[in-house]
Amino acid sequence: MANKEETRKKILEESLKEGTRSRFGYFSFAPPLCIADDSVDKKTPKRDMEKPIVLNFKANPPKQGMGPDAFFSLPASLAVGDKYEDPSRKERRYQLEKNKLIKSDAPFRPSGCTKEPPSKFEYIPVGPAARSKPPRLDDGSVPTGPRNFVTSPSKRGGNGVLTPGVLFSPYPEHLAEPYGVTKQLTSKDSKVAREKMPDQPFKGMSHGGKPFSEDKEIYHLDANGVRQARPASSPNRATHHDRPFYPSNPPRKGLQSTLNKFPEYIPQGASSRARNASAAAGKDLAAWRPNHGGNLSKPDPSVACSLRNLKQDKPAAFAFAARC
């Protein structure tokens, strides 16, 4: 073990010297990080031979697969106790019981052709009917029925080719329409309206300046200018006019409109503040000081300031500390 430690220190000193030399195009080359690493070494713990070996609890490895011994418990079938029966199961059960009754291995063969007794009726062959000659009259002519309705074939046309007689009604005659027909009709109507007007416009005899209703109608004045009494309102006025509905007991409004009585107002005093006993006695209090000395860490330190990177960049600066 001592030889390994001496070899490890020797290799570490050599790597520090080699780190300051320029290699592979660099001014300085960092040594590998695996130097002086003893994690790969096999370390066998020493056991006291005098103490007895006490074994821990052991268990069998878990079983694998889909066998019945691989489960803690097997689930029961959902069809247990179900009264549903497949309709085709009865037919399969009947065929199975029927096949059990067959003792012979030979397949079933039907008997021969069944013989039927001869028919009591005469045989009449069925075939195409023989064409008989039509009956004739005494003069030798063949009698026929009345003549059927006869119609002429439908006429063809359309798609710009209008053959005479294709349409149910005759083709409409072309009527010329002038361009300014709307203006002509408007001028004709205005001319007829001007002819009906008199030669001179209507002139009234009143100079105007009067209201639409006279004062007699508004103030109920008689012929002598005396105001008449207003007619009394009828008692059944509500029955003749539509008025909005007003309930007999309208709901209350405001703060007192609740079902229970409004709670009594209780004034709330100013909140009491607890004062420090020393301040109340007039003593001087010490100034507040933070719980740190001002050495706060930076939340985002630079990677170049890491101790590991500094050792790789400048190993000679930390060589003295490694020797000590």
Side-chain angles (χ1 to χ4, degrees), residues 18-307:
E18 294 292 334
T20 57
R21 296 172 53 187
S22 59
R23 291 184 301 171
F24 305 108
Y26 295 95
F27 293 101
S28 62
F29 188 81
L33 300 177
C34 62
I35 297 175
D37 187 9
D38 59 346
S39 60
V40 186
D41 298 343
K42 295 183 179 180
K43 300 178 181 180
T44 56
K46 296 182 179 181
R47 185 175 60 85
D48 192 358
M49 302 302 295
E50 297 179 357
K51 295 182 179 180
I53 300 175
V54 180
L55 299 178
N56 200 352
F57 292 99
K58 294 183 179 181
N60 296 330
K63 297 182 180 180
Q64 300 179 358
M66 299 295 292
D69 57 343
F71 299 95
F72 292 102
S73 62
L74 296 176
S77 178
L78 299 178
V80 176
D82 191 2
K83 298 182 180 180
Y84 174 77
E85 187 176 358
D86 191 4
S88 59
R89 187 177 181 183
K90 295 182 179 180
E91 183 66 24
R92 293 196 301 268
R93 188 183 300 172
Y94 171 75
Q95 293 294 339
L96 181 61
E97 297 295 336
K98 184 178 179 181
N99 294 334
K100 289 181 179 179
L101 298 176
I102 301 176
K103 303 299 181 181
S104 177
D105 298 337
F108 171 76
R109 294 181 181 180
S111 58
C113 298
T114 57
K115 297 181 180 181
E116 297 181 359
S119 178
K120 298 179 180 181
F121 302 97
E122 184 182 0
Y123 173 73
I124 301 176
V126 179
R131 299 183 61 182
S132 58
K133 295 183 179 180
R136 293 180 178 274
L137 301 177
D138 297 339
D139 55 355
S141 61
V142 179
T144 58
R147 187 178 180 182
N148 201 353
F149 293 97
V150 180
T151 58
S152 58
S154 59
K155 298 181 180 180
R156 299 180 180 180
N159 296 332
V161 182
L162 298 177
T163 308
V166 172
L167 305 177
F168 291 100
S169 59
Y171 196 74
E173 185 180 358
H174 174 70
L175 298 177
E177 183 178 4
Y179 179 76
V181 62
T182 306
K183 186 177 180 180
Q184 293 178 4
L185 295 175
T186 305
S187 59
K188 183 178 179 180
D189 295 341
S190 60
K191 183 179 179 180
V192 173
R194 287 195 299 269
E195 291 178 354
K196 294 181 180 180
M197 295 175 61
D199 298 338
Q200 295 182 358
F202 173 76
K203 294 181 180 180
M205 301 301 296
S206 176
H207 59 82
K210 295 182 179 180
F212 291 100
S213 301
E214 297 182 357
D215 297 342
K216 295 181 179 181
E217 298 178 2
I218 297 174
Y219 299 104
H220 303 282
L221 303 178
D222 55 2
N224 299 327
V226 180
R227 187 171 183 177
Q228 300 178 358
R230 297 183 62 179
S233 59
S234 59
N236 299 330
R237 183 178 180 181
T239 58
H240 296 286
H241 301 278
D242 296 332
R243 301 183 66 182
F245 172 75
Y246 293 98
S248 58
N249 296 323
R252 292 179 291 181
K253 299 181 180 180
L255 298 177
Q256 304 296 336
S257 60
T258 56
L259 297 177
N260 299 330
K261 292 184 178 181
F262 199 74
E264 183 180 359
Y265 173 73
I266 300 175
Q268 183 178 3
S271 58
S272 59
R273 297 182 179 180
R275 300 179 61 85
N276 195 352
S278 58
K283 298 181 180 180
D284 297 335
L285 299 178
W288 180 83
R289 294 180 181 180
N291 54 2
H292 58 84
N295 300 324
L296 300 178
S297 62
K298 192 177 181 181
D300 50 348
S302 176
V303 182
C305 298
S306 177
L307 183 60

